[in-house]
Amino acid sequence: MLPWGLSCLSALGAVGTALLGAGLLLSLAQHLWTLRWTLSRDRASALPLPKGSMGWPFFGETLHWLVQGSRFHSSRRERYGTVFKTHLLGRPVIRVSGAENVRTVLLGEHRLVRSQWPQSAHILLGSHTLLGAVGESHRQRRKILARAFSRAALECYVPRLQRALRREVRSWCAARGPVAVYEAAKALTFRMAARILLGLRLDEAQCSELARTFEQFVENLFSLPLDVPFSGLRKGIRARDQLHRHLEEAIAQKLLEDKTAVEPGDALDGIIHSTRELGHELSVQELKESAVELLFAAFSTTASASTSLVLLLLQHPAAIAKIQQELAAQGLGRACGCAPAASGGGAGPPPDCGCEPDLSLAALGHLRYVGCVVKEVLRLLPPVSGGYRTALRTFELDGYQIPKGWNVMYSIRDTHETAAVYRSPPEGFDPERFGTAGDDALGAAGRFHYIPFGGGARSCLGQELAQTVLQLLAVELVRTARWELATPAFPAMQTVPIVHPVDGLRLFFHPLASPAAQDGQRL
């Protein structure tokens, strides 16, 4: 029998040997993993793969990405450059930023790359959507949907959008406690999309119920493609089916309406009319999927941008003052006479304002600084960080090969953060960067320095509508309310999958003095 000391040394030696062996195995496995992806390069191309790390076997760098968030990409961009390789969610990925690189990717749709969405999204959204269409089918669907976002359609939407936004801001001012702006913005965005874009006739209770169902649908849109009990996909399918049941009756009614009507009243009408003009007739199923896609496109991103607008204006009161000056110069400085009193605040939102809308696309076009503020909000805090594509063939990017079959992730945020075409540092809030000189810098050659709505064949069809909503919100906010934090400090921002404050941005809103009171003060 060995003495106690020798037994301990023997045990420690065994543990050390086991740890050494495990370390060597891990090192060998990582070496083989790296070699596996190095050998996967397209040997027909003389170009090297981009720099970067493929992480650990099978897991890649997914855990680092989930923990570090946006810092993951910025740290690797600083280390490897604007084109680097990584391995995320089981797939090899080339991360791309910089205007010229992004331009190549976005203008290479259908030729170099194709849109890449998870299988769960295709299952839940359906097969008759713009998101899933490719080639000629994609071009035809864009043509059909374009009518819903034409200038004539926007002119029709603006008065109804202004009424909805005015009512919402008045409700924030009437609230007895703090308002969670992000949650309120999501509810507002859904109501506007359902009632104005889709033309659904919903009371408040129906709208709230449908919004909850839709949020459950969105929460499970990116899930494992396993249709089993209690899975995310099963929950998403259940929510989708409930949405389709709500939509079916409204769509059936629209299809029965006069087919000779000249002008559509909403986006869904526009889709029906555009299809008929092309000699086709959409089925109820196709229209249900188109309606859900419209809701999805408008929901999270517009709510995110609206919340960012409120936050950045609060952080930069000089911008509020400049907006007020611009509104006064255009004769738009007064809020409507129905603005809530400072002592108001019932349990629910105020009734619809009786004042007529006073804004139009032409009037908004004269509000140059308001437009610059909206552009700067979208530049500094773009709602989504980027987009995914899959390489259809091997091609060159910044001196590297992008192998066929690899995922390509272009970065909106990184491209905005590194753009060197503006007169002021890109990390600061400066709406004036989009003045005349800024617009010149973003001419045809440099427009890919600013891509909050993507670009190329899959650029966002609703970008003019989104900017119009943000301009209307900025005007109604600035001439109706003042707002302040309900928390000790500004919240941190979560950037994945949609940009939003981690606490929802809790604020107190207070009504400004009514026009009558302002006149009395001047007298």
Side-chain angles (χ1 to χ4, degrees), residues 178-183 306-312 314 483 485-487 489-491 493 500-509:
V179 175
V181 176
Y182 184 53
E183 291 302 316
S306 299
T307 305
S308 296
L309 172 69
V310 176
L311 172 64
L312 288 171
L314 178 60
W483 56 105
L485 278 176
T487 53
F490 287 106
M493 299 297 288
H500 66 276
V502 293
D503 70 348
L505 189 60
R506 296 173 60 79
L507 301 178
F508 290 112
F509 287 85

Side-chain angles (χ1 to χ4, degrees), residues 464-482:
E464 296 298 331
L465 175 61
Q467 291 181 98
T468 298
V469 169
L470 293 174
Q471 287 176 293
L472 290 169
L473 176 59
V475 171
E476 291 301 331
L477 272 171
V478 166
R479 66 183 185 178
T480 302
R482 61 180 178 85

Side-chain angles (χ1 to χ4, degrees), residues 58-63 65-66 86-93 118 224 388 407:
F58 307 110
F59 294 103
E61 294 194 297
T62 301
L63 296 178
W65 174 59
L66 293 174
T86 182
H87 194 279
L88 301 173
L89 300 174
R91 294 285 300 166
V93 176
L224 291 174
Y388 280 91
N407 284 1

Side-chain angles (χ1 to χ4, degrees), residues 173-487:
C173 291
R176 295 186 183 277
V179 175
V181 176
Y182 184 53
E183 291 302 316
K186 286 194 290 184
L188 167 66
T189 301
F190 182 83
R191 285 198 302 274
M192 290 193 300
R195 291 173 173 168
I196 298 172
L197 283 186
L198 301 186
L200 302 182
R201 298 177 180 89
L202 302 169
D203 59 31
E204 285 299 323
Q206 290 173 321
C207 200
S208 296
E209 179 188 354
L210 201 60
R212 286 192 295 271
T213 302
F214 184 74
E215 190 147 14
Q216 185 178 42
F217 169 82
V218 172
E219 286 173 356
N220 293 288
L221 199 58
F222 305 104
S223 56
L224 291 174
L226 298 174
D227 185 9
V228 296
F230 309 110
S231 68
L233 182 61
R234 179 67 63 86
K235 293 176 184 176
I237 291 173
R238 187 163 56 245
R240 179 202 63 191
D241 292 345
Q242 290 174 356
L243 286 170
H244 282 190
R245 283 195 294 272
H246 276 280
L247 291 167
E248 190 162 346
E249 183 178 346
I251 289 171
Q253 182 61 38
K254 283 181 179 292
L255 292 173
L256 290 173
E257 289 173 356
D258 184 8
K259 295 186 178 183
T260 63
V262 177
E263 287 299 327
D266 52 62
L268 201 53
D269 283 337
I271 293 171
I272 295 171
H273 281 243
S274 295
T275 308
R276 287 172 176 167
E277 287 176 357
L278 293 173
H280 304 294
E281 191 80 25
L282 293 179
S283 68
V284 172
Q285 181 64 29
E286 289 174 309
L287 286 169
K288 286 190 292 187
E289 291 179 7
S290 295
V292 171
E293 185 177 34
L294 283 173
L295 288 173
F296 171 62
F299 181 65
S300 297
T301 52
T302 306
S304 167
S306 299
T307 305
S308 296
L309 172 69
V310 176
L311 172 64
L312 288 171
L313 285 178
L314 178 60
Q315 291 175 329
H316 301 90
I320 295 177
K322 287 186 177 181
I323 292 175
Q324 290 171 333
Q325 292 170 8
E326 183 171 67
L327 291 174
Q330 295 293 327
L332 297 169
R334 289 188 177 192
C336 72
C338 301
S343 59
D352 286 328
C353 177
C355 297
E356 286 298 314
D358 60 347
L359 296 172
S360 63
L361 287 182
L364 292 174
H366 288 108
L367 299 177
R368 185 196 67 82
Y369 186 75
V370 172
C372 290
V373 167
V374 168
K375 288 180 180 178
E376 181 68 345
V377 169
L378 293 170
R379 185 197 69 83
L380 203 58
L381 292 173
V384 294
S385 61
Y388 280 91
R389 300 289 188 269
T390 296
L392 293 174
R393 62 181 179 86
T394 299
F395 62 96
E396 177 184 351
L397 204 60
D398 206 20
Y400 297 106
Q401 65 163 270
I402 310 301
K404 178 181 178 181
W406 282 42
N407 284 1
V408 180
M409 182 182 184
Y410 72 89
S411 173
I412 295 173
R413 186 173 298 108
D414 287 358
T415 299
H416 287 181
E417 288 177 355
T418 57
V421 297
Y422 303 111
R423 67 179 189 178
S424 56
E427 64 271 12
F429 179 81
D430 179 18
E432 293 289 358
R433 76 173 78 244
F434 289 101
T436 303
D439 287 340
D440 291 342
L442 290 173
R447 70 181 186 273
F448 287 92
H449 289 284
Y450 179 75
I451 49 169
F453 299 103
R458 290 191 181 272
S459 60
C460 177
L461 270 173
Q463 57 185 285
E464 296 298 331
L465 175 61
Q467 291 181 98
T468 298
V469 169
L470 293 174
Q471 287 176 293
L472 290 169
L473 176 59
V475 171
E476 291 301 331
L477 272 171
V478 166
R479 66 183 185 178
T480 302
R482 61 180 178 85
W483 56 105
E484 60 186 355
L485 278 176
T487 53

Side-chain angles (χ1 to χ4, degrees), residues 7-59:
S7 297
C8 288
L9 287 173
S10 178
L12 287 172
V15 171
T17 301
L19 290 174
L20 179 62
L24 289 172
L25 284 174
L26 282 174
S27 178
L28 177 62
Q30 187 169 22
H31 175 74
L32 292 174
W33 176 254
T34 302
L35 182 63
R36 178 253 189 274
W37 292 111
T38 301
L39 294 176
S40 72
R41 63 181 297 276
D42 188 341
R43 298 182 183 182
S45 171
L47 296 172
L49 286 171
K51 299 176 183 177
S53 169
M54 303 305 281
W56 293 97
F58 307 110
F59 294 103

